[in-house]
Amino acid sequence: MFTRTIFSEDHEIFRNQVRRFVQTEILPYHAQWEKDGRVSRDAWLKAGENGLLCAMVPEAYGGAGADFLFSMVVMEELAGAGAMGPGFTLHSDIVAPYLVHYGSEAQKEAWLPRMARGEIIGAIAMTEPSGGSDVQNIKTTAIRDGDDFVINGQKVFITNGGNCDLLILACKTDPSKGAKGISLILVPADTPGFRKGRLLEKVGWKAQDTAELFFDDVRIPATNLLGVEGRGFVQLMEQLPQERLMQAIRATSVLESALEWTVDYTRERKAFGGSIADFQNTRFRLAEVKTQVVVMRIFTDHCMQMHMKGELDSVDAAMAKMFTAETLCECLDDCLQLFGGYGYMWEYPIARAWADARMGRIAGGTGEIMREIIGRQVTGTR
Ligand SMILES: Cc1cc2nc3c(=O)[nH]c(=O)nc-3n(C[C@H](O)[C@H](O)[C@H](O)COP(=O)(O)OP(=O)(O)OC[C@H]3O[C@@H](n4cnc5c(N)ncnc54)[C@H](O)[C@@H]3O)c2cc1C
């Protein structure tokens, strides 16, 4: 029997608070948000009031100054409840860290306290219609003009894109260079020329406001540059391991819940004079899922510990993301099968989890790109 040891009593107390919040403020509204294609602003404000946002941001900038594990409690509780709509963790643990690590004092003071309160929603935009894996070849430009940058281009598939108030934009400040021409720029959503396109209709993650974004002569003060000009690609590569670890943590929590739902269902559902759980096929499949999820959990917790010590590298993070995303998809397919026709009905959480999970093999770097990262290290090739 495997028992988790990485969380302290304080983390568990926080977990109970988050769980209550998810039960009362998220789950009753999630089906409506799926129809709307976005989570309500009210939910963001309540999440801020209840300390669910920007836990890791220093207290001086409105956060809790807590460790990564507190943030991951929020991730695990949302994922375990099947609530994929709220982009809280992207906002808190992907966007906010860029400001914390690379932002000027003025940028931190201007944005982080309002992000922690849920008044400002953050997003990050790398992917473009012409390609997402090949980040070095992005086409969006930010050309210096006096004290400003003038931005032109387009982004696609941006999580929190529909609701966002603040965007971290990856763009070329020197289009003649490859990776070394990329910079990150803070773009407030109310800047003239910045337009949000339609909310994209996705296979899963239906309550998430994933959107296209357009930039037509968007004039931004040069002081909105995040960090050093030309270091955007390096900054992205520095932050991606945490993002990929977070995806592994989410996948593991989803599968733990899905296994519970499937065990409950197969014990209750009757066929041929017994329960579905009585069939050897059911026990064998659930034995395999149980084994896979324990392996996922042990490796993911190990990676979390490494990350807490500052020792998680891009290869470990790629392995965690690739293995958990792919194992989740395989196991959810088996779980769904054990629900029979009900497994294919949207009202059943297993159906939504199955559709939501497919995204994990694509976003934040595809399975093929993860293999490239791991394979290059294994073979010692470039
Ligand atoms: C729900 C969702 C949310 C997202 N959120 C965001 C977000 O918030 N911000 C953001 O910037 N992006 C976001 N993305 C974009 C995501 O990161 C990209 O979709 C992903 O990186 C792949 O890029 P692409 O779609 O352009 O595919 P492509 O890069 O065109 O790849 C197409 C296929 O070719 C394969 N391929 C590409 N290069 C190689 C190679 N070198 N070797 C082998 N195979 C290769 C890929 O693995 C894939 O199978 C999101 C995507 C989704 C689906």
Side-chain angles (χ1 to χ4, degrees), residues 20-37:
R20 272 198 303 277
F21 183 88
V22 172
Q23 289 298 327
T24 57
E25 303 296 343
I26 301 291
L27 293 185
Y29 308 101
H30 207 270
Q32 184 58 46
W33 296 338
E34 286 177 1
K35 289 189 186 121
D36 299 342

Side-chain angles (χ1 to χ4, degrees), residues 100 111 117 221 233 321:
V100 171
W111 297 108
R117 291 196 295 269
F233 188 75
K321 179 182 187 289

Side-chain angles (χ1 to χ4, degrees), residues 275-291:
S275 71
I276 302 289
D278 291 329
F279 300 129
Q280 189 186 49
N281 173 65
T282 306
R283 292 201 301 266
F284 278 15
R285 287 309 300 127
L286 291 181
E288 287 161 18
V289 172
K290 174 75 184 174
T291 308

Side-chain angles (χ1 to χ4, degrees), residues 29-41 44 84-87 158-164 197-202 204-211:
Y29 308 101
H30 207 270
Q32 184 58 46
W33 296 338
E34 286 177 1
K35 289 189 186 121
D36 299 342
R38 64 171 83 221
V39 170
S40 73
R41 285 266 166 182
W44 280 88
M84 295 302 161
I158 305 307
T159 303
N160 290 351
N163 274 345
C164 76
R198 67 199 167 100
L199 296 178
L200 299 168
E201 277 190 49
K202 304 181 294 300
W205 284 61
K206 290 189 181 290
Q208 171 44 236
D209 50 304
T210 315

Side-chain angles (χ1 to χ4, degrees), residues 90 123-135 155-161 168 170 202 204-205 208 210 243-244 247 358-370 372 376:
L90 177 122
I124 179 160
M126 295 172 247
T127 307
E128 304 189 346
S130 58
S133 303
D134 189 4
V135 178
K155 296 287 174 178
V156 72
F157 310 144
I158 305 307
T159 303
N160 290 351
I168 297 180
K202 304 181 294 300
W205 284 61
Q208 171 44 236
T210 315
E243 178 176 350
R244 290 174 179 153
Q247 292 206 22
R358 192 62 181 80
M359 170 271 194
R361 293 175 56 195
I362 299 167
T366 64
E368 291 72 28
I369 296 301
M370 297 307 102
E372 272 295 320
R376 265 184 250 143

Side-chain angles (χ1 to χ4, degrees), residues 225-251:
L225 186 70
L226 189 62
V228 178
E229 186 171 346
R231 271 190 58 86
F233 188 75
V234 174
Q235 292 166 328
L236 292 170
M237 293 307 121
E238 282 171 355
Q239 297 305 312
L240 274 172
Q242 175 163 307
E243 178 176 350
R244 290 174 179 153
L245 170 61
M246 286 165 55
Q247 292 206 22
I249 294 165
R250 177 167 51 224

Side-chain angles (χ1 to χ4, degrees), residues 287-298:
E288 287 161 18
V289 172
K290 174 75 184 174
T291 308
Q292 295 281 36
V293 78
V294 169
V295 173
M296 278 166 64
R297 173 56 73 204
I298 290 171

